[in-house]
Amino acid sequence: MRDMDVIVLGAGGAGLMCAASAGRRGRRVVVIDHADEPGKKILISGGGRCNFTNTGTVPERYLSANPHFARSALGRYTPDDFIALVDRHGIAWHEKTWGQLFCDGPARAIVAMLLDECAAGGVTIRLSTAIGEIGHADGAYTVAGYRAPALVIATGGPSIPKLGATGIAYDIARRFGLKVVEPRPALVPLKLPGGEALFRDLAGVATPVVARAGGKGRQAAFAEAALFTHRGLSGPAILQASSYWRHGEDIGIDFAPDAPAGWLLAAKRARPRATLAATLPVPTRLADALGARLGVTVLGDATDRALAAAERRLADWRFLPDGTEGYAKAEVTVGGIATDALSSKTMAAQRVPGLYAIGEAVDVTGWLGGYNFQWAWASGWAAAQAL
């Protein structure tokens, strides 16, 4: 049995950040992961370029049973702090839309940076190593031949199982008496039932929309692109909305988000022989499908009342998904280890000395666009300061 100061379970973004930061503080740290290489989610993120943070990071863009929990960690380790780390390692990056920062080159540069930081802190990394039984006695945790007074759960959630993701974090949490908020796939495409076959026939068509989802107290709207697929709906707007969606709820889509009130009536008066399909600000195939559903062809042949009704429906077209594409296609997981048993400053379990939980394993889930990586960095850093 080899003695350490900290055992980190999981060599993903949060685990490596925590290990590197604790190692830099002089702690003897070992990272244990069953995968054959570290940072697998980092490697595939952002189309292989790693959307490593978002300059618009604020606590309000995270979902949690406790919406204030993430505030402390996010405020103490900011996007500017991670950007400074990236710059020190000479990694070139650029900003896309909505504050999303990407590497100019492959995402592997971020993994290499974290591994270099771990090496500088003398961190031991054990890959292809099963966690197995976790012992806990006399103020020490034992895992895979290592013993330490501190154990950090950084094994993420079950999203993208082909990368080896599992729900082991929840099993470990429950083993130590921590509650788990029911996990579910998030940032995930939605499936439509057979009755929406007309729209499923539009697979590959994308258009800017405003997508709305969420019941009372958790409504959200996202102005980005929606993509029709063979099974339903995807694209950034839908992925964002999916985090707020629940089974049995519908979602609303505004197909003309920039159109002023009364735009269809104005179009009828200006061009009475124009078709609805030609007037809609969407791709032709989608415009034809919407026009067919609305029963409106030539604007001048429709009553003002019919056009007003069509305009209202186009501004809030309701779809009733019958499910999601599941963890296989989900970028992250909503839910996880309940925050009410954790310190928001240190990520430590308040009633289990030496136990910490960070990253996606915790019930904190960010929007699409680098927010979840920023939570990984911030929560990992916060825990490291207390180790």
Side-chain angles (χ1 to χ4, degrees):
M1 193 68 64
R2 184 177 173 186
D3 287 319
M4 307 294 282
D5 295 316
V6 184
I7 299 171
V8 176
L9 304 180
L16 293 176
M17 184 66 174
C18 179
S21 301
R24 287 283 201 174
R25 298 183 65 239
R27 305 300 184 261
R28 297 170 299 167
V29 184
V30 61
V31 178
I32 298 174
D33 198 308
H34 71 286
D36 57 1
E37 66 176 322
K40 283 192 170 183
K41 270 195 176 181
I42 297 174
L43 295 175
I44 69 166
S45 68
R49 299 287 183 181
C50 188
N51 179 190
F52 57 82
T53 193
N54 194 295
T55 59
T57 295
V58 290
E60 290 75 19
R61 294 180 177 179
Y62 290 82
L63 290 80
S64 175
N66 178 358
H68 302 293
F69 180 82
R71 188 176 301 276
S72 175
L74 292 173
R76 291 163 60 225
Y77 192 89
T78 68
D80 285 343
D81 292 318
F82 193 75
I83 292 168
L85 178 62
V86 169
D87 288 343
R88 285 201 302 275
H89 282 259
I91 300 173
W93 54 272
H94 60 279
E95 180 176 349
K96 286 191 176 180
T97 56
W98 309 105
Q100 302 170 69
L101 303 190
F102 291 77
C103 297
D104 287 356
R108 192 167 295 278
I110 297 296
V111 177
M113 176 192 75
L114 293 170
L115 292 177
D116 285 347
E117 288 290 309
C118 283
V123 174
T124 299
I125 298 179
R126 290 284 307 278
L127 301 175
S128 301
T129 301
I131 291 174
E133 184 68 24
I134 298 175
H136 184 218
D138 301 324
Y141 298 88
T142 53
V143 184
Y146 291 88
R147 178 172 51 213
L151 179 71
V152 181
I153 305 172
T155 52
S159 60
I160 319 184
K162 69 180 181 180
L163 297 182
T166 71
I168 190 174
Y170 314 143
D171 297 333
I172 297 171
R174 293 188 182 104
R175 181 238 191 272
F176 289 102
L178 303 184
K179 294 180 181 179
V180 174
V181 176
E182 183 179 1
R184 57 188 175 82
L187 299 182
V188 62
L190 299 175
K191 296 191 296 184
L192 294 178
E196 299 289 5
L198 177 63
F199 290 99
R200 296 217 304 256
D201 289 343
L202 297 172
V205 174
T207 187
V209 302
V210 171
R212 301 181 181 88
K216 184 177 180 180
R218 53 180 171 80
Q219 300 93 340
F222 298 95
E224 295 190 65
L227 170 70
F228 290 89
T229 72
H230 290 293
R231 289 181 291 273
L233 295 166
S234 188
I238 301 303
L239 297 183
Q240 295 275 42
S242 73
S243 296
Y244 293 82
W245 178 79
R246 300 286 195 280
H247 279 279
E249 297 178 350
D250 57 12
I251 65 167
I253 293 183
D254 185 348
F255 284 110
D258 297 324
W263 66 278
L264 268 183
L265 293 176
K268 172 184 175 179
R269 287 164 175 68
R271 295 180 296 122
R273 301 316 302 162
T275 64
L276 174 65
T279 306
L280 289 173
V282 299
T284 301
R285 286 174 58 201
L286 175 57
D288 289 340
L290 293 172
R293 284 292 181 96
L294 291 167
V296 176
T297 306
V298 177
L299 297 181
D301 293 343
T303 65
D304 286 1
R305 183 176 180 179
L307 289 182
E311 182 178 318
R312 287 194 298 273
R313 190 172 181 194
L314 288 167
D316 191 24
W317 196 289
R318 290 284 155 172
F319 291 94
L320 184 61
D322 59 0
T324 74
E325 293 283 358
Y327 288 119
K329 297 293 180 66
E331 295 195 19
V332 293
T333 304
V334 163
I337 299 172
T339 60
D340 59 2
L342 304 177
S343 163
S344 62
K345 181 178 180 179
T346 67
M347 310 305 296
Q350 295 170 342
R351 297 183 180 179
V352 188
L355 183 65
Y356 298 75
I358 60 176
E360 190 182 345
V362 178
D363 176 33
V364 174
T365 306
W367 285 7
L368 182 73
Y371 294 96
N372 288 293
F373 275 131
Q374 185 57 38
W375 170 245
W377 317 139
S379 60
W381 183 90
Q385 306 315 299
L387 291 168

